[in-house]
Amino acid sequence: MVARVIPVEQFDLVIFGATGDLARRKILPGLYRRWKEGQIPEGSKIIGAARSEVARDDFREMVRAALQEFLDRKELVDDTIASFLDMLDYVTIDAKGDAGWDVLSNMMRADIVRAFYLSVAPALFGDIAKRLHTRGIADRNSRIVVEKPFGKDLATARALNAALAEYFHEDQIYRIDHYLGKETVQNLMAVRFANILFEPLWNSQFVDHVQITVAETVGVDGRGEYYDTSGAMRDMVQNHLMQLLCLIAMEPPHCFEPDAMRDEKLKVIRALDPMGPGEYVRGQYRGRGREDYLIDSGNPDSRTESFIAMKLHISNWRWKGTPFYLRTGKRLKSRVSEIAVTFKEPPHSIFGESNQWRENVLVIRLQPDEGMDLRVMIKEPGPGGMRLKDVALDMSFAEALGNDLDIPDAYERLIMDVIRGNQTLFMRGDEVEAAWAWVDPVIEGWEQRDDRPEAYEPGSTGPEGALMLMHKDGRRWREIR
Ligand code: BG6
């Protein structure tokens, strides 16, 4: 099935940090794929901006190499690459000084969408925003896109929000959480709000508990310096897992508009109870060589967690009494992201003691093998009387929608949303601050208690303590296969 592609308006997009890893891996390949699909109108311009002195043609060659490295061979079409590279320009720029800003200003055209993607260290957000504004390069219709980490605590996030707010209005600021751009993450909203089936049961009267798992097989991947000051809590929970939790737990917004959605997500974060000792387990992979976090991160004394499992409570009418278990970690057994909603036992069984009851579970698989699976009880076929069995109503999106289904990468979708001016899948400033306001005291608690992460084997499903976190409540994690 070929997805419908609606072209966006013509634009000038400036990528700050254009020679960096994210631009090469995700942003530029994503733009190429949208160009190839015909979504980017002719005449649009993509301007790379970075500190390095690079000639325009060399920049184009660097981008060609990035496309070859990060895209499938079947996606690479010579003519399409050539016309894509023609759209590219480059400016050497000093984010904190004067060099390059006049050149950039002259490259920009009047009366078309202007977007500025800041794929740079957050410490530069304010400097760049200021120069874009004072030099008249950005106007009231321009959009500014910023990447995570958006701060490392509430104070730094507030400072970043304030630095951006000095020159840009909130409706111009696009804070990326790439999880929101994932196809199946958006599907959560469709499942909940486009079907009557689930919503009446979506509360503590019928839901026993919810599990959110984001397991990775990679280690810190050469980013030890950043990761070791961050850990799973700041790197994954404060943003990606928190956003998944919000989409699962939020009230139905009155429309699918950015602020209606974001208002509801914010209420979930604000309703989270503080998390105390005994409600979380931190872990660190300890193996040989790079499979040892202390070596992989480059910090032999590190107490940073590469894994965390937590039990959260949302104090509102809908969810009081239903725990949400979250876990995420690196160097685990396999790469799996999924959300499982486990329903309660029927109030009365008419089938007798010999039939073991199994929970109804709705599993939304975010990656890989995107799809949904609903476990239901049926009668086991055969003459042996009324014997029950639990089976899966299993749907893979690829099978249901066609095996050649081409799911766009999160970044592709998000960049096109910036050009369209649609902020629904971006985080608002107050959401980010609320998430940090919840995270901060938890991390302070660890520091005060001198909390040390528990070791786990690389390639395992995490530390023993994480299993106990569920066992002591009489529950079990779903298997990471
Ligand atoms: C990033 C984190 O935001 O998300 C990484 O900084 C993590 O540490 C990555 O590996 C996971 O993203 P995905 O899309 O591969 O699940």
Side-chain angles (χ1 to χ4, degrees), residues 20-33:
D21 199 51
L22 183 73
R24 286 173 5 88
R25 253 174 216 278
K26 293 286 183 185
I27 306 174
L28 289 157
L31 285 161
Y32 167 80
R33 290 185 88 197

Side-chain angles (χ1 to χ4, degrees), residues 423-435:
Q423 289 185 304
T424 310
L425 301 176
F426 296 83
M427 293 181 296
R428 208 168 54 191
D430 51 2
E431 252 184 280
V432 179
E433 289 187 15

Side-chain angles (χ1 to χ4, degrees), residues 26 147-148 177-179 182 214-216 218-221 223 226-227 235-236 239-240 330 335 337 367 409-411:
K26 293 286 183 185
E147 268 293 333
K148 73 178 269 266
D177 181 317
H178 78 280
Y179 266 59
K182 288 186 190 272
V214 178
E216 298 186 273
V218 290
V220 299
D221 234 2
R223 297 150 75 222
Y226 149 75
Y227 191 87
D235 184 52
M236 296 294 287
N239 36 75
H240 308 325
K330 295 201 181 283
R335 180 171 184 250
S337 298
Q367 60 192 26
D409 180 73
Y411 278 91

Side-chain angles (χ1 to χ4, degrees), residues 24 80 147 153 189 439:
R24 286 173 5 88
T80 317
E147 268 293 333
D153 54 20
M189 292 177 269
V439 164

Side-chain angles (χ1 to χ4, degrees), residues 59-332:
F59 178 62
R60 289 179 174 176
E61 284 315 306
M62 187 207 90
V63 175
R64 183 197 299 279
L67 301 182
Q68 281 160 350
E69 187 175 349
F70 297 112
L71 290 173
D72 266 7
R73 186 171 285 205
K74 68 176 186 328
E75 296 185 285
L76 301 172
V77 180
D78 284 348
D79 289 353
T80 317
I81 295 182
S83 56
F84 177 73
L85 296 181
D86 272 351
M87 246 192 312
L88 303 184
D89 213 331
Y90 183 83
V91 53
T92 305
I93 214 154
D94 178 3
K96 288 177 167 292
D98 286 328
W101 291 94
D102 288 340
V103 182
L104 177 61
S105 177
N106 290 332
M107 283 177 177
M108 307 293 292
R109 296 163 301 164
D111 301 326
I112 57 171
V113 173
R114 292 180 176 194
F116 304 95
Y117 196 129
L118 275 49
S119 175
V120 296
L124 297 177
F125 291 175
D127 294 308
I128 295 176
K130 178 176 171 192
R131 284 167 179 76
L132 288 173
H133 176 81
T134 52
R135 292 180 176 255
I137 301 172
D139 59 20
R140 180 66 184 90
N141 291 318
S142 303
R143 285 131 216 192
I144 188 158
V145 186
V146 292
E147 268 293 333
K148 73 178 269 266
F150 199 83
K152 64 177 182 50
D153 54 20
L154 178 58
T156 49
R158 275 197 180 135
L160 288 176
N161 275 335
L164 291 171
E166 226 177 293
Y167 308 106
F168 290 86
H169 293 256
E170 183 61 37
D171 63 13
Q172 298 179 272
I173 304 172
Y174 291 72
R175 294 176 195 79
I176 290 216
D177 181 317
H178 78 280
Y179 266 59
L180 290 178
K182 288 186 190 272
E183 187 71 26
T184 25
V185 173
Q186 293 170 70
N187 228 318
L188 283 177
M189 292 177 269
V191 168
R192 287 195 59 194
F193 305 133
N195 296 292
I196 190 74
L197 276 184
F198 303 111
E199 205 49 30
L201 303 180
W202 214 254
N203 56 56
S204 60
Q205 192 186 344
F206 297 103
V207 175
D208 177 73
H209 73 279
V210 177
Q211 296 186 23
I212 302 180
T213 299
V214 178
E216 298 186 273
T217 50
V218 290
V220 299
D221 234 2
R223 297 150 75 222
E225 210 178 312
Y226 149 75
Y227 191 87
D228 199 52
T229 57
S230 169
M233 186 64 146
R234 291 188 171 103
D235 184 52
M236 296 294 287
V237 175
Q238 186 272 343
N239 36 75
H240 308 325
L241 275 84
M242 197 73 104
Q243 288 295 321
L244 297 180
L245 174 75
C246 285
L247 295 176
I248 280 289
M250 71 197 244
E251 295 299 315
H254 76 280
C255 62
F256 191 51
E257 293 287 333
D259 280 332
M261 289 283 297
R262 301 190 294 180
D263 287 347
E264 297 306 336
K265 287 196 290 165
L266 180 62
K267 288 184 205 160
V268 175
I269 305 174
R270 290 196 172 146
L272 280 176
D273 284 353
M275 189 172 69
E279 292 189 308
Y280 67 85
V281 173
R282 297 164 71 229
Q284 210 177 50
Y285 52 89
R286 300 301 309 278
R288 292 221 185 111
R290 294 282 306 280
E291 302 227 313
D292 189 314
Y293 179 81
L294 302 184
I295 294 173
D296 209 10
S297 69
N299 178 4
D301 302 318
S302 176
R303 289 187 188 165
T304 302
E305 77 286 352
S306 58
F307 174 99
I308 187 164
M310 315 186 288
K311 178 181 178 183
L312 303 188
H313 306 274
I314 301 173
S315 275
N316 61 21
W317 276 43
R318 186 190 280 265
W319 292 119
K320 189 79 190 173
T322 296
F324 287 72
Y325 298 92
L326 275 54
R327 66 179 159 165
T328 181
K330 295 201 181 283
R331 286 217 197 276
L332 294 177

